[in-house]
């Protein structure tokens, strides 16, 4: 789950990372009131979950109430890369001397945490990585040992931050690492981390992505869920307790278990197709769950065929087959459906499907066969359009 900048800064503040004082505003009048409360000059910042707000005109300095009014009016309702601005963050303006970059993420391949620091902050880090990879200092951190004081100091030294910024930056790195680990984040990023004219170091922007798997131990994340930006289908799926991720292809995928869903994505790609989504129905695959899953996929206009890939375990193959047949009696599906059932009672399941087979419903014995058929049907449907 991604946080807005203002939420990320509030999260940072809980771990002692210095940020500028500020407040949110959903209307122009609120923005002016925040400016009066905070004291000028302030920065009026669009709250959307996409980078490059500055370049898009979504970040403006204001010296008085009149300027706040002018900028807030222009930015509220603005479209930034497909995201509409509904909320502003107004904060005390900083006098910037230098802009740096700092982040922590998980490097799954290395099974370690990865810290990155650069003296070239304020611009897109991908751009820095492409133009001048040596300008980013990387450090793998053993998650058991954590980030030591020495490592934090070495990071800022190696990255070549200005001498006067180093102690403050190393201190922030330690706090940012704690925020990453104890705050259960997948990513924490400060871009820019600034050195002010007064010689202080603090976070001017915040990007925080929380690890959904840790939500059970963070009751305070509830407020982030309330402001979460989900598309219509993601909302529908969530309300039905399904794990759904929208993708841009044409083959809708339903599988039980995240691992199987991921393998199914791979096999669809291998068969020359492109997945329209990732939908994990979890353990139970009864008629109700199946109908819900089909209903979610059905609302995606890009779906040309549906591939259902189930490995029967506790939920037996015959139950799954019956579930699919019943679900189809409840939801009208336009796209043809290809099913692969394996595992417990797979044979009985396939028999049930055989009695209902048509050009809209078919079963295939292996994952690859099923994926090939689904991809073929999707391209046929595409060609007919
Ligand atoms: P992003 O463009 O979405 O990454 O938004 P940021 O919050 O990173 O702001 C973009 C740029 O706006 C920063 O790199 C700064 O150059 C500028 N900016 C943001 N806040 C301030 C501020 O308080 N004072 C000044 N002078 N510039 C700021
Ligand atoms: Mn930024």
């Amino acid at each position: 789950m991604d946080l807005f900048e203002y939420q990320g800064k509030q999260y940072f503040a809980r771990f002692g990372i210095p940020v500028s004082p500020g407040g949110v505003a959903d209307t122009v009048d609120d923005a002016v009131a925040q400016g009066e409360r905070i004291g000028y000059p302030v920065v009026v910042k669009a709250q959307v979950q996409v980078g490059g707000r500055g370049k898009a005109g979504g970040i403006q300095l204001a010296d008085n109430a009149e300027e706040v009014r002018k900028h807030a009016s222009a930015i509220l309702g603005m479209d930034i890369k497909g995201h509409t601005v509904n909320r502003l963050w107004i904060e005390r303006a900083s006098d910037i001397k230098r802009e740096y970059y700092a982040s922590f993420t998980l490097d799954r391949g290395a099974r370690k945490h990865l810290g990155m620091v650069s003296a070239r902050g304020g611009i897109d880090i991908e751009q820095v990585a492409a133009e001048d990879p040596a300008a980013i200092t990387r450090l793998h951190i053993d998650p058991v040992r954590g980030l030591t004081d020495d490592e934090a100091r070495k990071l800022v030294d190696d990255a070549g931050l200005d001498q006067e910024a180093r102690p403050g930056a190393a201190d922030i790195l330690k706090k940012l690492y704690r925020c990453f680990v104890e705050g259960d984040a997948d990513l924490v990023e400060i871009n820019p981390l600034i050195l002010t004219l007064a010689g202080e170091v603090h976070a001017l922007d915040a990007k925080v992505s929380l690890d959904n798997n840790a939500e059970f131990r963070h009751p305070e994340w509830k407020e982030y869920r309330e402001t979460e930006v989900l598309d219509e289908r993601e909302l529908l799926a969530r309300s039905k307790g399904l794990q759904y991720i929208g993708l841009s292809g044409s083959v809708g995928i339903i599988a039980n278990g995240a691992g199987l869903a991921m393998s199914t994505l791979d096999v669809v790609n291998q068969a020359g197709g492109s997945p329209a989504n990732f939908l994990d129905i979890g353990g139970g695959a009864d008629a109700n769950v199946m109908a819900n899953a089909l209903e979610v996929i059905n609302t995606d206009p890009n779906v040309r065929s549906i591939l259902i890939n189930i490995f029967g375990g506790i939920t037996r193959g015959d139950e799954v087959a019956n579930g699919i047949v019943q679900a189809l009696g409840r939801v009208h599906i336009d796209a043809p459906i290809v099913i692969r059932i394996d595992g417990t009672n797979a044979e009985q399941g396939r028999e049930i499907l055989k009695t209902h087979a048509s050009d809209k419903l078919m079963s295939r014995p292996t994952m690859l066969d099923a994926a090939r058929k689904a991809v073929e049907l999707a391209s046929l449907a595409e060609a007919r359009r």
Side-chain angles (χ1 to χ4, degrees):
M1 175 168 53
D2 297 331
L3 301 190
F4 286 98
E5 175 198 4
Y6 73 93
Q7 295 169 327
K9 283 180 167 167
Q10 286 160 0
Y11 214 60
F12 281 177
R14 284 176 34 195
F15 293 88
I17 298 166
V19 292
S20 308
V24 293
D26 293 343
T27 65
V28 175
D29 287 340
D30 284 352
V32 173
Q34 290 288 11
E36 296 289 310
R37 185 181 66 82
I38 295 158
Y40 303 103
V42 295
V43 202
V44 180
K45 306 186 78 173
Q47 296 301 290
V48 282
Q49 291 174 345
V50 60
R53 294 166 301 160
K55 269 191 207 150
I59 294 176
Q60 301 291 342
L61 283 162
D63 279 323
N64 50 52
E66 207 178 308
E67 285 181 17
V68 172
R69 187 168 291 284
K70 184 179 79 183
H71 294 312
S73 312
I75 297 173
L76 279 170
M78 184 184 266
D79 179 285
I80 301 182
K81 298 179 188 165
H83 297 244
T84 307
V85 182
N86 294 315
R87 181 162 278 186
L88 302 171
W89 170 249
I90 317 292
E91 73 173 26
R92 171 83 53 77
S94 305
D95 287 324
I96 303 176
K97 187 167 174 190
R98 288 292 302 268
E99 303 193 43
Y100 313 123
Y101 173 93
S103 70
F104 289 102
T105 49
L106 179 65
D107 183 344
R108 287 173 208 278
R111 300 183 180 195
K112 292 214 164 123
H113 293 149
L114 176 65
M116 291 196 275
V117 177
S118 176
R120 288 191 60 189
I123 54 171
D124 192 4
I125 197 67
E126 273 84 35
Q127 192 188 329
V128 179
E131 285 171 11
D132 187 8
I136 304 170
T137 300
R138 293 176 168 79
L139 176 73
H140 277 105
I141 301 140
D142 181 340
V144 177
R145 217 163 33 84
L147 180 73
T148 64
D149 290 349
D150 284 349
E151 284 172 332
R153 272 197 297 268
K154 191 165 167 2
L155 261 171
V156 300
D157 287 345
D158 291 353
L161 303 198
D162 302 81
Q163 281 297 347
E164 64 171 318
R166 291 186 191 185
D171 182 55
I172 288 178
L173 279 185
K174 293 271 297 174
K175 290 169 173 162
L176 186 62
Y177 185 73
R178 270 196 55 215
C179 173
F180 174 65
V181 175
E182 290 167 35
D184 283 312
D186 283 331
L187 164 75
V188 290
E189 183 186 76
I190 309 179
N191 189 20
L193 173 72
I194 61 158
L195 170 64
T196 65
L197 291 178
E200 277 153 0
V201 184
H202 85 254
L204 206 65
D205 193 4
K207 189 165 168 188
V208 174
S209 186
L210 299 172
D211 174 1
N212 290 346
N213 293 316
E215 195 166 355
F216 69 94
R217 56 183 171 224
H218 292 280
E220 80 281 9
W221 288 4
K222 194 167 164 283
E223 66 172 289
Y224 303 143
R225 279 275 174 236
E226 283 155 12
T227 55
E228 202 182 5
V229 190
L230 294 174
D231 74 23
E232 195 192 321
R233 254 183 304 285
E234 286 171 334
L235 280 171
L236 181 66
R238 180 150 308 161
S239 74
K240 294 176 183 299
L242 301 170
Q243 287 292 327
Y244 170 94
I245 296 166
L247 302 166
S248 55
S250 59
V251 179
I253 291 171
I254 298 173
N256 63 334
L260 189 61
M262 261 186 262
S263 325
T264 313
L265 295 184
D266 288 344
V267 177
V268 165
N269 280 316
Q270 194 190 329
S274 60
N277 70 281
F278 170 103
L279 204 162
D280 167 18
I281 56 172
D286 63 12
N288 206 16
V289 172
M290 207 40 97
N292 285 340
L294 286 168
E295 204 182 315
V296 170
I297 288 196
N298 214 22
T299 61
D300 183 345
N302 295 323
V303 168
R304 300 280 171 263
S305 70
I306 297 172
L307 172 55
I308 302 180
N309 189 5
I310 304 290
F311 195 89
I314 294 168
T315 312
R316 305 187 317 261
D318 51 328
E319 290 176 292
V320 173
N322 281 324
I324 294 170
V325 172
Q326 282 175 37
L328 288 174
R330 279 162 43 186
V331 210
H332 174 79
I333 309 290
D334 283 326
I337 301 175
V338 185
I339 305 160
R340 175 261 188 174
I341 298 183
D342 211 336
T344 314
N345 288 9
E347 206 42 59
Q348 290 91 320
R350 288 184 208 134
E351 280 306 315
I352 294 166
L353 292 172
K354 206 180 270 174
T355 60
H356 292 85
S358 70
D359 57 349
K360 283 296 194 65
L361 183 69
M362 62 211 79
S363 136
R364 287 292 180 273
T366 72
M367 203 146 112
L368 187 57
D369 285 340
R372 282 188 178 137
K373 188 66 192 172
V375 170
E376 179 197 319
L377 290 168
S379 34
L380 279 176
E382 201 62 54
R384 271 201 303 273
R385 279 164 54 85

